[in-house]
Amino acid sequence: MQTSLIAGNNYNISIADLNYQMFILFHFGFEIFKIALQAAVYSLMLVLFIFIIIKTTGNRRLKSIKFKTVYFSIAGLLFIFSFTYYGDHGLGDEANIPLGHAKTINSSDGYAYLNVGRTQINIDSFLVRNDHLCFASKNDYYDYQLPSGKHVKYSSRPEYEAHAKKSFTSGK
């Protein structure tokens, strides 16, 4: 760890922390670029649609709509959406997968995990069906109920498969 003295304060900064912060900053820049590109495409489509309406109907009030206004409005909405539950996909090495009922699977450095209370359960593979998150973690199998947050842990695959056949094939 490197220590630097800035204005009389000690700051402990590691090279790994700086790399992680730079990666997050790069990904944020990429998100801004992606939003700008999407806003340009959506704005062009909307302005062309408005132009077609003006030509076919003769509506003169729509002529006051400018591409720049449409572009910045759409870009602002896309930026706001990127921080919502369904738009937040994580920055840097972090990734979020929305599952429903305000639950997400998180991933860091390629390893997926689910936060259950104060613990993190690693996820090897998963399936979401009928408001249940079924997933494997090492040699354990779980059935996590998304609405209630309750989960059942199965220590063997045959035990889990018997539960899955009973729960998911009987039309529940």
Side-chain angles (χ1 to χ4, degrees), residues 8-165:
N9 295 323
N10 285 326
Y11 293 98
N12 293 327
I13 301 171
S14 72
I15 299 301
D17 289 339
L18 288 175
N19 287 340
Y20 183 68
Q21 291 171 358
M22 289 301 294
F23 195 70
I24 288 175
L25 186 61
F26 171 75
H27 195 205
F28 184 70
F30 175 74
E31 287 290 324
I32 296 298
F33 175 74
K34 183 179 84 169
I35 286 170
L37 190 63
Q38 285 178 323
V41 170
Y42 296 153
S43 298
L44 182 63
M45 289 172 36
L46 187 60
V47 168
L48 287 175
F49 181 71
I50 291 171
F51 180 74
I52 291 170
I53 290 175
I54 291 171
K55 289 293 184 186
T56 57
T57 64
N59 190 338
R60 300 282 181 227
R61 289 186 299 165
L62 294 177
K63 277 192 170 185
S64 65
I65 296 174
K66 302 292 181 211
F67 178 81
K68 191 175 183 181
T69 306
V70 173
Y71 173 78
F72 284 114
S73 299
I74 291 176
L77 290 172
L78 287 171
F79 184 74
I80 291 168
F81 176 75
S82 71
F83 293 102
T84 65
Y85 172 70
Y86 289 105
D88 178 19
H89 303 293
L91 289 176
D93 282 348
E94 300 291 322
N96 304 320
I97 302 170
L99 301 172
H101 300 281
K103 307 285 193 303
T104 59
I105 289 180
N106 303 312
S107 175
S108 178
D109 294 327
Y111 296 102
Y113 60 90
L114 177 70
N115 290 320
V116 178
R118 295 180 184 218
T119 61
Q120 290 181 348
I121 303 173
N122 290 331
I123 296 177
D124 297 327
S125 61
F126 72 94
L127 170 72
V128 178
R129 187 176 204 177
N130 299 336
D131 284 338
H132 286 257
L133 170 65
C134 303
F135 63 95
S137 176
K138 296 183 184 175
N139 293 326
D140 295 324
Y141 300 89
Y142 293 86
D143 178 10
Y144 182 83
Q145 298 174 13
L146 292 172
S148 66
K150 297 177 183 176
H151 68 282
V152 179
K153 179 180 175 182
Y154 300 94
S155 56
S156 70
R157 186 176 180 133
E159 181 183 2
Y160 170 74
E161 287 178 351
H163 162 73
K165 282 183 183 177

